[in-house]
Amino acid sequence: MSTVGTPGADTTVPKHSLDRYAAKRSFSRTPEPPAKDAAERQGPLLFVVQKHAARRLHYDFRLELDGVLKSWAVPKGPSLMLTDKRMAVEVEDHPFDYGSFEGVIPSKQYGAGNVIVWDCGVYSPDEDQQYVFNDRVDAQNRVREGLAQGKLSFFLRGEKLKGSFALVRTRADKQWLLIKHKDRFADSNALLARNQSVLSGATLDDISPAQQAERLD
Ligand code: MN
């Protein structure tokens, strides 16, 4: 049974900070978006998965919450297979605008390497199959509570990632597991072979600073 919305439940919006995001980056050198909170938004919450050829290739899994993107680095990438438990390391909150960022983080900058938007879409918490795609306040209360408790079940409607997943915090500091729940979207297909951006069709190798400059014009 969910305790969300019960009297006494703490539904205060915690103050998020993009200070850690900003402190790691020099915005005169990187094309990444500046640290600012999103304007008031409506409609379902966004999720995005970026594929990032940093020193080690990884995928960045991000969930919109309270004007920022809660973020985890997933070294092996997400999976639709029930048997996979993918390690997801909690990293700093990213600005909402980061969700559409593709480009080249220049060498010597934090996270230097190419980035594409590997998947994006909308999500809802889905504990007990109670979906709230159309109620941001309720959705965010439940996401906040789930993350605070270290266990969040949610439903993704992306191009590649679909269905119910869980993020479960482990005993290790900042380490979570990303797990697919059993549903009709679970399968054993080679998901990560679909290596193109859902925004531009580019693969990581297609991205270049020149192309990025064109897009920004
Ligand atoms: Mn990354």
Side-chain angles (χ1 to χ4, degrees):
M1 210 183 83
S2 171
T3 57
V4 173
T6 52
D10 182 14
T11 55
T12 350
V13 179
K15 188 136 181 60
H16 281 287
S17 171
L18 293 170
D19 289 353
R20 284 180 63 213
Y21 172 86
K24 290 169 185 276
R25 291 167 177 83
S26 169
F27 296 104
S28 59
R29 299 208 174 91
T30 179
E32 294 166 286
K36 69 172 179 28
D37 283 355
E40 189 90 0
R41 282 173 31 81
Q42 309 222 316
L45 299 172
L46 179 106
F47 87 93
V48 60
V49 182
Q50 278 150 321
K51 187 177 180 184
H52 183 185
R55 196 167 31 168
R56 280 194 188 165
L57 179 75
H58 62 273
Y59 293 75
D60 290 296
F61 183 77
R62 311 190 196 279
L63 298 175
E64 178 190 0
L65 178 66
D66 299 328
V68 299
L69 299 174
K70 307 303 289 181
S71 297
W72 293 261
V74 184
K76 290 187 175 176
S79 173
L80 292 174
M81 287 185 68
L82 301 174
T83 48
D84 288 336
K85 289 180 166 54
R86 292 292 164 86
M87 205 232 307
V89 181
E90 189 180 329
V91 298
E92 76 275 19
D93 293 348
H94 280 49
F96 179 80
D97 287 351
Y98 208 95
S100 57
F101 172 71
E102 293 197 335
V104 180
I105 303 172
S107 60
K108 297 184 185 160
Q109 300 306 302
Y110 180 74
N114 296 5
V115 177
I116 59 170
V117 177
W118 180 80
D119 199 14
C120 65
V122 297
Y123 84 99
S124 164
D126 70 349
E127 199 70 51
D128 302 325
Q129 301 194 324
Q130 300 290 308
Y131 306 99
V132 277
F133 282 100
N134 297 313
D135 184 340
R136 287 176 74 81
V137 173
D138 191 15
Q140 293 189 109
N141 283 341
R142 286 171 57 183
V143 172
R144 217 177 287 124
E145 180 169 305
L147 292 179
Q149 292 177 350
K151 186 168 179 290
L152 177 68
S153 181
F154 53 95
F155 194 96
L156 301 180
R157 287 184 182 155
E159 288 278 321
K160 296 169 183 166
L161 295 178
K162 298 175 198 295
S164 183
F165 291 77
L167 269 169
V168 181
R169 188 161 52 212
T170 69
R171 288 180 186 181
D173 188 37
K174 299 197 185 296
Q175 285 193 18
W176 299 62
L177 295 172
L178 179 62
I179 302 164
K180 182 79 195 74
H181 283 141
K182 188 169 184 177
D183 60 19
R184 68 193 175 91
F185 300 105
D187 78 14
S188 57
N189 279 348
L191 179 71
L192 300 184
R194 300 176 64 186
N195 62 352
Q196 292 177 301
S197 163
V198 294
L199 292 189
S200 63
T203 67
L204 278 174
D205 292 338
D206 295 333
I207 293 279
S208 71
Q211 184 192 26
Q212 167 182 295
E214 268 169 40
R215 265 206 309 281
L216 293 175
D217 282 346

